[in-house]
Amino acid sequence: MTGALIVAARRTPIGTAGRSLAGVTAAELGGAVVRAVADDLGEVPAEVVLGNCMGPGGNVARVASLTAGLPVEVPALTVDRQCASGLAAIELGARLVSGGSGPVVAGGVESASTAPWRFWPPEAGGPPVRYERAPFAPASDDVDMGVAADLLAQERGVTRERQDAYAAESHARAVLAAARGEFDAEIVAVGGVAADERPRAGLTAERLARFRAAFREGGTVTIGNSCGVNDGAAAVGIVPAGSREGAAGRPGLRVLGAASAGVAPGRPGIGLVPAVKLALAEAGLAVGDLDVIEFNEAFAGQVLACYDALGIDPGRACAGGGALALGHPWGASGAVLVVRLFTQLVRQGRGRYGLAAIAAGGGQGTALVVEACR
């Protein structure tokens, strides 16, 4: 994997579903970051690979590529690994480049606001039945994500107090990072929106403690320590490390390892743990070697359980806030993590090694390990 170098990384602002980006389609969100990354690359990519979960179908990556104004000759592929789709797309793009492909633009996009309604066909002459999501697993194991996160927190001993404190810290970090301008270089304005919508100043653990359990009687997961439902897109530009860009010393992130793994579908939130172990093994690194860590914060209890399982101090991760504060645009979230790594390791020079990881519905996880080249 050392043959792939990420030399560009951009994302849209992240909006709350039905609000700031409600009128922007998945193809338009994706097109905005594909165009920006292609411009940063300074050349036409050989391929576009985008992750997506709930879009209209029809190969969203292809529609976004054409919306971006790329030549019709550039092929595009849409990847669905549910919440891990954006990071899986980057993993695939890195492997394509390492295998001899030309430059690849890879990432993810999600517009929960414009996602089409979906229906099961009628049975025995009855009406069609609308459903909110496709199955993640066979019916016997298809646990709702919120319930699964609550059960995981209980089983792993993650208390409500820890969850609320972590969620409050995520918002505080995101608000501070925005105030310092740390997101400015990575954000591509779209639909007249240039800033993330969700982070809240002054959100304390004490305020979050007032929320009731959202998914299970007596549970610890609430709407306050869970991510939102969001719109957004993110993408990176990947070039061969031996290309003229790499040879000229262009700064970037060398991909050292990447992996996806599966776990029991009833506890999908822990899925990133085996993926992290595999990716670190491929990279030849340990948790202690990492300078920057970005985990997707779908639920505070879920991500804290993952930190505990891997022996990671939560204070070392998501320095600019995570999905609890910024939002979780499903198919894009894994790519957002890599954009955040790029900003911290390349734009800000905060260290050498970085890790991005995300869990996905159905019991899967994806992880990526990178090294800053400056």
Side-chain angles (χ1 to χ4, degrees):
M1 288 290 282
T2 56
L5 188 69
I6 297 170
V7 295
R10 306 290 288 274
R11 69 176 178 92
T12 68
I14 300 173
T16 299
R19 297 180 63 179
S20 63
L21 296 173
V24 186
T25 67
E28 291 167 338
L29 289 167
V33 292
V34 169
R35 180 72 267 166
V37 169
D39 289 345
D40 289 346
L41 282 175
E43 61 182 310
V44 176
E47 179 90 56
V48 173
V49 185
L50 295 180
N52 180 255
C53 295
M54 296 292 289
N59 193 354
V60 173
R62 174 63 170 170
V63 183
S65 178
L66 296 173
T67 300
L70 295 188
V72 296
E73 291 80 9
V74 177
L77 171 68
T78 300
V79 174
D80 181 357
R81 204 189 290 275
Q82 288 300 295
C83 296
S85 298
L87 192 55
I90 293 174
E91 176 188 359
L92 177 57
R95 295 198 185 279
L96 287 171
V97 169
S98 291
S101 165
V104 172
V105 173
V109 58
E110 203 71 58
S111 173
S113 295
T114 65
W117 288 6
R118 301 184 179 196
F119 294 84
W120 295 117
E123 294 184 7
V129 178
R130 184 185 173 193
Y131 62 95
E132 297 295 329
R133 65 166 176 84
F136 293 146
S140 60
D141 292 320
D142 194 16
V143 181
D144 180 81
M145 295 290 281
V147 173
D150 207 321
L151 291 170
L152 178 64
Q154 176 183 302
E155 293 162 1
R156 299 296 176 118
V158 182
T159 65
R160 169 72 185 269
E161 291 73 22
R162 279 188 73 194
Q163 294 175 56
D164 289 344
Y166 183 85
E169 181 66 17
S170 183
H171 280 269
R173 290 181 175 189
V175 169
L176 181 59
R180 289 175 172 171
E182 293 182 15
F183 301 140
D184 293 354
E186 67 189 35
I187 288 183
V188 178
V190 62
V193 180
D196 300 312
E197 182 177 4
R198 182 175 165 82
R200 294 289 179 268
L203 190 62
T204 64
E206 291 72 25
R207 290 179 62 187
L208 290 173
R210 301 172 188 170
F211 289 99
R212 295 180 179 179
F215 302 103
R216 207 167 60 95
E217 185 70 29
T220 58
V221 176
T222 72
I223 60 171
N225 58 39
S226 304
C227 67
V229 177
N230 301 96
D231 306 324
V236 302
I238 311 169
V239 300
S243 69
R244 58 182 175 82
E245 291 85 356
R250 186 171 182 176
L253 299 176
R254 188 183 305 276
V255 178
L256 300 181
S260 293
V263 296
R267 298 294 181 272
I270 205 71
L272 66 83
V273 171
V276 165
K277 293 178 179 178
L278 289 170
L280 285 173
E282 183 180 8
L285 298 175
V287 165
D289 298 318
L290 301 170
D291 299 296
V292 178
I293 299 170
E294 289 288 332
F295 279 12
N296 187 61
E297 301 170 344
F299 303 91
Q302 167 261 328
V303 74
L304 285 167
C306 292
Y307 292 144
D308 291 350
L310 291 164
I312 293 174
D313 177 359
R316 295 179 58 203
C318 301
L324 290 169
L326 297 173
H328 182 10
W330 307 306
S333 294
V336 171
L337 301 177
V338 182
V339 174
R340 299 267 54 244
L341 287 182
F342 191 91
T343 288
Q344 293 168 82
L345 289 168
V346 178
R347 294 183 173 115
Q348 298 173 342
R350 292 188 183 179
R352 181 177 180 183
Y353 296 116
L355 166 69
I358 185 169
Q364 297 190 86
T366 299
L368 186 82
V369 180
V370 296
E371 177 185 18
C373 300
R374 296 186 291 270

